Amino acid sequence: MPKLRARWSVLADRIDAGTPSDRDRTVDALRAFAILGVVLGHWLVTALTTADGGLSTTSPLAHLPWLAPVSWVFQTLAVFFLVGGHVAARGHASARERGVPYGVWVGQRLSRLFRPVAAVLTLWAVTAAGMLLGGAEPSTVRTLVKLVLSPLWFLLVFAVLTAATPLVARLSPLWPLAVVAGVDVWRFGFGGPEWIGWVNVAAGWLVPYTLGAAWSRGAFARRTPAALLLGAGAAAAFALVLWGGYPASMVGVPGAPISNLNPPTLAAVAFGLAQCGLALLLRGPLERTMRRPRAWAKVALMNLSAMTIFLWHQTAMMAVTAFGLLAPADLPGLHTVPDSPQWIAARLLWLPVFAAALSVCWAAFRTYEQAGRPKRSTSARSVSLTVTGSRTGTRTLRAPEEVIHHA
């Protein structure tokens, strides 16, 4: 153990020393926080049970509604879109300064986004076909495939917003916020069609994305605007849940008549504004924390594989669940109905097992995320940090304004 600590300390010092001095480490820290929130949230509020003979999906939020505050902690997509808008706006501005055509810029960004997605889709297409040919229940296969594909919806939204960065980078967040409010009033106040809610999939996430673009222009250089975002967003979300009839959970709950996330509602967007305000207020403490080599090294290395972690975390959970079926009885916290505090305690014990399975997926598929990234010369704006440590292999870190690792 002392040797491992010593090696990690050496590696952390190398990463810290090789990081450009002008790199905004808080951007990487916020991205890592957002990804971890999504991963842990899915692992905690998604359950595969054998109650109906095959594997079916349920959620502890459906059985234990008092757990709704858990979703406030782990529903971190607004922070991800905030960071995405910030990095995309800076990246596009930098590309224009260097004379890089829009087509080249957006092509590079989207290819880095969808290359690892193709690996997931290919593996699961083969797996699903094999399961069906092997006699698996179609409902079970459908459940598993849906779990893999459902988290990918926001990647498509993110890709569209990224491609539209030149058009939306200077758009005021008030405009998409007004669209979200109008759609909800039409849906819930005047009995409008349900399909109109899907307009909010774009408008709802455009709100934090445009906030991120405003951040890149220096709009949050002072703390006051961020504090106003936090206060106003929290107050609005509280009022909408308490008096507006919106559910308390900020994620979808199976069987619930209204989902705050699918599609996003005004309550979810207001909650996202509060999250973004808090994230922007925490930049100072985060910056000080990221000056510590060990803390920064963890964040930097995670950002290298952020997309891989996101894409494969559901597969890791399902793999553990499937192997658990070999046991003579249903395993608590894995196959049982999530309807008691005992299930929660058991589930927490499974999280390290899910993490171990995810590490296997990471080792097998991380190359799809890191392959094909353009090499850049070392300069103030475009710098590559090659980190070589004992038994760590070689990795490359790049400035966040040049490369965003989508997750």
Side-chain angles (χ1 to χ4, degrees):
M1 188 66 78
K3 289 184 178 180
L4 288 177
R5 287 200 188 100
R7 287 174 177 173
W8 168 245
S9 181
V10 170
L11 176 60
D13 288 339
R14 288 179 177 175
I15 294 174
D16 182 65
T19 301
S21 59
D22 63 345
R23 180 166 183 162
D24 188 350
R25 300 184 183 192
T26 62
V27 173
D28 300 86
L30 289 173
R31 187 188 298 121
F33 165 77
I35 294 160
L36 283 177
V38 171
V39 171
L40 291 175
H42 283 158
W43 284 354
L44 288 171
V45 304
T46 303
L48 288 167
T49 72
T50 58
D52 300 322
L55 287 176
S56 59
T57 307
T58 186
S59 170
L61 296 173
H63 301 274
L64 305 168
W66 52 268
L67 284 176
V70 173
S71 67
W72 306 346
V73 177
F74 295 107
Q75 206 291 74
T76 52
L77 286 175
V79 176
F80 182 87
F81 279 93
L82 172 76
V83 172
H86 173 75
V87 175
R90 291 193 65 179
H92 179 253
S94 175
R96 289 186 62 184
E97 290 175 1
R98 291 180 284 112
V100 177
Y102 165 78
V104 173
W105 173 80
V106 76
Q108 290 176 347
R109 300 184 76 83
L110 296 187
S111 66
R112 289 194 296 269
L113 177 66
F114 288 115
R115 186 181 296 107
V117 172
V120 174
L121 296 179
T122 300
L123 182 137
W124 270 100
V126 174
T127 300
M131 291 177 67
L132 291 173
L133 292 174
E137 288 288 335
S139 60
T140 297
V141 177
R142 190 181 310 113
T143 295
L144 297 179
V145 172
K146 184 177 179 180
L147 275 179
V148 173
L149 297 183
S150 58
L152 302 184
W153 63 264
F154 93 93
L155 293 179
L156 180 60
V157 178
F158 195 92
V160 171
L161 295 184
T162 298
T165 295
L167 298 177
V168 303
R170 294 190 173 273
L171 182 69
S172 169
L174 293 176
W175 289 109
L177 181 62
V179 171
V180 173
V183 167
D184 273 19
V185 168
W186 189 4
R187 286 176 66 199
F188 305 129
F190 296 97
E194 284 298 313
W195 61 263
I196 196 63
W198 295 105
V199 172
N200 284 353
V201 172
W205 299 120
L206 187 56
V207 174
Y209 193 87
T210 51
L211 281 174
W215 172 18
S216 73
R217 300 192 301 271
F220 297 99
R222 296 183 297 110
R223 294 173 60 85
T224 302
L228 289 174
L229 268 183
L230 173 58
F238 178 81
L240 289 167
V241 169
L242 196 60
W243 299 298
Y246 289 88
S249 172
M250 289 300 152
V251 298
V253 179
I258 299 175
S259 168
N260 270 325
L261 195 59
N262 192 28
T265 64
L266 184 60
V269 173
F271 178 77
L273 289 175
Q275 275 191 327
C276 291
L278 179 60
L280 292 166
L281 285 174
L282 289 175
R283 284 177 297 164
L286 275 177
E287 183 181 4
R288 290 189 291 273
T289 301
M290 290 299 103
R291 290 174 186 165
R292 303 171 187 168
R294 293 189 181 186
W296 166 239
K298 293 173 184 177
V299 168
L301 292 176
M302 181 178 174
N303 272 272
L304 283 173
S305 301
M307 186 69 166
T308 303
I309 291 170
F310 174 80
L311 288 174
W312 293 96
H313 74 277
Q314 292 284 60
T315 299
M317 181 188 72
M318 288 185 283
V320 172
T321 304
F323 278 113
L325 293 174
L326 299 176
D330 287 344
L331 299 176
L334 198 62
H335 307 123
T336 53
V337 177
D339 58 359
S340 69
Q342 290 76 18
W343 184 92
I344 300 171
R347 187 63 159 202
L348 291 174
L349 295 177
W350 283 108
L351 294 185
V353 184
F354 295 159
L358 179 57
S359 68
V360 174
C361 295
W362 170 84
F365 297 102
R366 66 186 175 88
T367 55
Y368 291 95
E369 179 175 2
Q370 298 177 18
R373 289 178 183 162
K375 294 183 178 180
R376 303 174 185 271
S377 60
T378 56
S379 66
R381 282 291 178 190
S382 175
V383 61
S384 296
L385 164 62
T386 301
V387 180
T388 306
S390 177
R391 300 184 183 181
T392 62
T394 300
R395 313 254 179 93
T396 301
L397 301 178
R398 293 187 177 89
E401 59 265 29
E402 297 296 330
V403 176
I404 181 170
H405 302 292
H406 303 287

